[in-house]
């Protein structure tokens, strides 16, 4: 097994993880036949509720690479299977980009958006009386964020393989906080945060 020494943990929400589920998820991760990035640790979370069954897998790999994917479906084992497929697809994509020495063209692929502050006059409603009610969220998930220092090319690579909507990072060249997100396939935008957030 290529990942037989990987530290793998399987936990459950609203379900007790059976030995069969643990063994199935472990074998699937150990059977990932991709030599890069090397998997250091894997965490599997299964969540079973009345109307859905969800599998989430997070791989912590060498070179500070994190790959995450999840699947929701009617069958838990199928959800684990599909999540592994997504993980492998992202790992292959990452390796292919490295082999091609992927570097986005600064002039074509990345756009910098200037920060703008708007006065109340631009609003289409009165702030005190006519403001619409705040939307009621269906679900709010809180999680920590590991702020790292990296080059924008590495931030874009992490955005591609992690499946995240954005990546917040400290630019290694300029020591400023930036957010990179995807505009369309192969095209990205960077928002640079204010100077007061540098420290």
């Amino acid at each position: 097994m290529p990942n037989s020494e990987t530290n793998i943990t399987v936990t459950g929400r609203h379900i007790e993880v059976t030995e069969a589920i643990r063994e199935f998820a472990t074998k699937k991760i150990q059977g990932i036949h991709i030599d890069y990035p090397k998997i250091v640790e894997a965490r599997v979370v299964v969540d079973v509720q009345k109307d859905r069954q969800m599998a989430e897998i997070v791989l912590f790999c060498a070179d500070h690479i994190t790959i995450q994917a999840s699947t929701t479906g009617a069958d838990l084992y199928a959800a684990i299977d599909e999540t592994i497929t997504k993980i492998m697809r992202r790992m292959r994509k990452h390796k292919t980009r490295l082999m091609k020495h992927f570097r986005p063209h600064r002039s074509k692929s990345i756009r910098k958006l200037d920060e703008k502050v708007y006065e109340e006059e631009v609003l289409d409603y009165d702030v005190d009386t006519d403001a619409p009610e705040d939307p009621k969220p269906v679900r709010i998930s809180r999680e920590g964020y590991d702020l790292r220092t990296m080059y924008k090319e590495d931030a874009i690579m992490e955005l591609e393989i992690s499946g995240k909507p954005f990546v917040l990072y400290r630019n290694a060249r300029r020591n400023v906080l930036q957010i990179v997100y995807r505009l369309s396939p192969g095209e990205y935008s960077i928002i640079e945060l204010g100077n007061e957030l540098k420290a």
Side-chain angles (χ1 to χ4, degrees):
M1 290 291 183
N3 299 296
S4 58
E5 298 180 359
T6 301
N7 181 24
I8 303 173
T9 59
V10 183
T11 58
R13 297 175 185 157
H14 311 104
I15 182 179
E16 181 179 349
V17 178
T18 64
E19 190 58 35
I21 294 174
R22 192 184 313 278
E23 183 177 349
F24 182 81
T26 299
K27 286 186 175 180
K28 285 292 181 179
I29 293 173
Q30 289 177 341
I32 296 177
H33 295 279
I34 297 179
D35 57 355
Y36 186 87
K38 177 178 173 57
I39 303 172
V40 178
E41 180 183 356
R43 297 177 187 173
V44 182
V45 178
V46 293
D47 186 354
V48 176
Q49 299 185 25
K50 291 182 179 179
D51 57 342
R52 68 183 183 94
Q53 301 194 30
M54 186 271 291
E56 179 183 39
I57 298 175
V58 183
L59 302 184
F60 300 91
C61 306
D63 298 329
H64 305 287
I65 297 171
T66 302
I67 303 176
Q68 178 178 357
S70 62
T71 303
T72 300
D75 180 79
L76 183 59
Y77 289 91
I80 294 174
D81 242 338
E82 177 61 25
T83 305
I84 289 292
T85 300
K86 293 178 181 178
I87 289 281
M88 294 180 66
R89 190 180 304 128
R90 290 175 183 171
M91 293 177 78
R92 291 193 188 97
K93 187 175 182 180
H94 175 65
K95 185 174 182 179
T96 301
R97 286 180 179 272
L98 286 181
M99 293 175 64
K100 292 181 178 179
H101 302 286
F102 169 74
R103 287 294 182 271
H105 297 291
R106 181 179 301 178
S107 60
K108 296 181 179 179
S109 298
I110 298 180
R111 300 176 184 175
K112 178 180 177 183
L113 302 182
D114 295 327
E115 180 180 343
K116 294 183 180 180
V117 178
Y118 293 94
E119 302 295 335
E120 291 183 0
E121 286 76 11
V122 304
L123 300 177
D124 56 4
Y125 57 83
D126 184 87
V127 175
D128 297 323
T129 59
D130 299 330
E133 295 183 0
D134 291 336
K136 297 180 180 179
V138 177
R139 179 183 180 187
I140 298 178
S141 177
R142 297 181 182 273
E143 58 182 80
Y145 196 96
D146 182 18
L147 179 63
R148 297 194 286 122
T149 299
M150 65 180 82
Y151 296 101
K152 68 174 179 288
E153 293 86 356
D154 296 325
I156 291 172
M157 188 70 72
E158 180 170 328
L159 180 71
E160 285 295 324
I161 66 176
S162 67
K164 298 176 182 177
F166 68 90
V167 172
L168 170 65
Y169 66 102
R170 186 179 300 279
N171 189 295
R173 293 189 181 97
R174 301 179 51 234
N175 193 33
V176 295
L177 294 182
Q178 295 181 330
I179 297 174
V180 60
Y181 63 94
R182 186 182 301 99
L183 289 175
S184 60
E187 191 172 353
Y188 310 88
S189 182
I190 287 181
I191 299 176
E192 189 167 299
L193 305 183
N195 292 337
E196 67 276 5
L197 296 177
K198 285 184 180 180

